[in-house]
Amino acid sequence: MSASAFITITRPHNAVVAGLTALIGYLIATGTLTPPSLLLAVVVALTTAGGNVINDVFDVEIDRINRPKRPIPAGEISLAGAKAYTAALFAGGLLVATLTTTLCLAIALINSVILIAYAVRLKRTPLLGNVAVAYLTASVFLFGGAFAGVEGLVQNLSLAAITFLATIAREVLKDAEDVDGDAAGGARTLPMIAGVRRTGAFAFACACSAVLVSLLPFGDWWGPFYLAGIAVVDIVILFGASRGLSCTTPGCVRDSRATSILRAGMFAALAVFAVAAVI
């Protein structure tokens, strides 16, 4: 087994970015960063890495065809070794989480269970897989806020809700882009059941809900900068989702770049909340 493969299989860039996002969540909740808050990044990075490895474990047969250079199908890590590594990463994340707060530990435990359930079953379940991804993405902000207590978690509810709804929109549109490949692989996704046009309408409804949530007076956000900044974010999110509204084919959704625009909107929302927290 290759030592470098144990890094590659965790998708380290993804895990590190997730960890840094937890720190931003704490910054948004409190307006500052403290040395103990670095524990948040470690917990999220380890847990995310564990989720990435267990995904490779359960996708090994697919990866033998689609991604033969991934560590397990390439023979750089054995299946048994990857399973043990997964357990170690999740255990490490939970162990570090015991040094944070009870609320953070509870979120870390729940998310670990959902990551395992996603790899085992949820990713192959229409819509539930999308909801799981959306929750896990949004919960990083709740986790960061929870380090400051219930008040910090509540402070981050608006951003978490926007992220959750916009991520669902983006995930179902990504599935719409991949209908042909998913059908060949035997998957069942929302666009395959409801059709691409109805999926686009559902994504747009989720985006509209994200916009409505962004205007609710959660926490202490309301002010000139927030309202101006979030207006731009809302326009980007609505524009992105609207791009998929008229599509009836996967190729149309891909050409619309709706998922890329929605991702840009979510990054913009994060920037608005982070700046609003420190000014």
Side-chain angles (χ1 to χ4, degrees):
M1 289 189 286
S2 166
S4 63
F6 280 93
I7 298 176
T8 301
I9 198 172
T10 64
R11 293 177 172 85
H13 177 267
N14 177 274
V16 170
V17 168
L20 293 176
T21 301
L23 284 179
I24 295 174
Y26 180 74
L27 172 66
I28 290 171
T30 65
T32 187
L33 289 174
T34 62
S37 67
L38 294 175
L39 292 171
L40 299 172
V42 177
V43 173
V44 173
L46 287 173
T47 305
T48 302
N52 289 335
V53 177
I54 197 171
N55 264 301
D56 275 18
V57 168
F58 281 90
D59 285 349
V60 62
E61 296 305 324
I62 296 174
D63 286 347
R64 291 191 201 282
I65 299 170
N66 295 336
R67 299 177 181 85
K69 293 185 179 181
R70 289 296 298 165
I72 299 176
E76 297 175 336
I77 298 178
S78 69
L79 198 57
K83 290 178 180 178
Y85 190 32
T86 296
L89 288 168
F90 279 127
L94 291 173
L95 183 62
V96 177
T98 63
L99 303 176
T100 57
T101 67
T102 302
L103 191 54
C104 285
L105 176 59
I107 295 173
L109 180 58
I110 291 169
N111 285 13
S112 296
V113 171
I114 292 175
L115 281 165
I116 295 168
Y118 177 79
V120 175
R121 182 174 297 276
L122 292 180
K123 66 161 43 177
R124 299 166 186 86
T125 306
L127 193 55
L128 280 180
N130 304 128
V131 171
V133 170
Y135 162 75
L136 289 166
T137 303
S139 69
V140 176
F141 299 112
L142 299 180
F143 181 74
F147 195 54
V150 175
E151 296 81 5
L153 187 149
V154 171
Q155 183 76 354
N156 285 3
L157 275 177
S158 185
L159 176 58
I162 295 167
T163 302
F164 175 77
L165 292 163
T167 301
I168 290 181
R170 182 171 183 269
E171 286 295 309
V172 297
L173 287 173
K174 281 174 61 181
D175 284 346
E177 292 178 346
D178 297 336
V179 163
D180 296 334
D182 287 341
R188 292 283 288 168
T189 62
L190 180 66
M192 296 171 67
I193 297 170
V196 172
R197 182 182 288 276
R198 289 181 179 175
T199 298
F202 174 71
F204 186 72
C206 288
C208 289
S209 299
V211 169
L212 289 174
V213 167
S214 74
L215 300 176
L216 295 177
F218 279 118
D220 302 319
W221 297 120
W222 276 45
F225 172 81
Y226 174 76
L227 291 175
I230 209 65
V232 174
V233 169
D234 289 344
I235 290 170
V236 172
I237 289 175
L238 287 177
F239 175 67
S242 70
R243 298 276 292 173
L245 260 179
S246 60
C247 287
T248 58
T249 66
C252 174
V253 180
R254 285 193 294 271
D255 292 342
S256 74
R257 298 184 58 81
T259 57
S260 297
I261 296 169
L262 281 169
R263 180 173 59 186
M266 288 187 284
F267 276 119
L270 177 58
V272 167
F273 277 87
V275 174
V278 297
I279 61 175

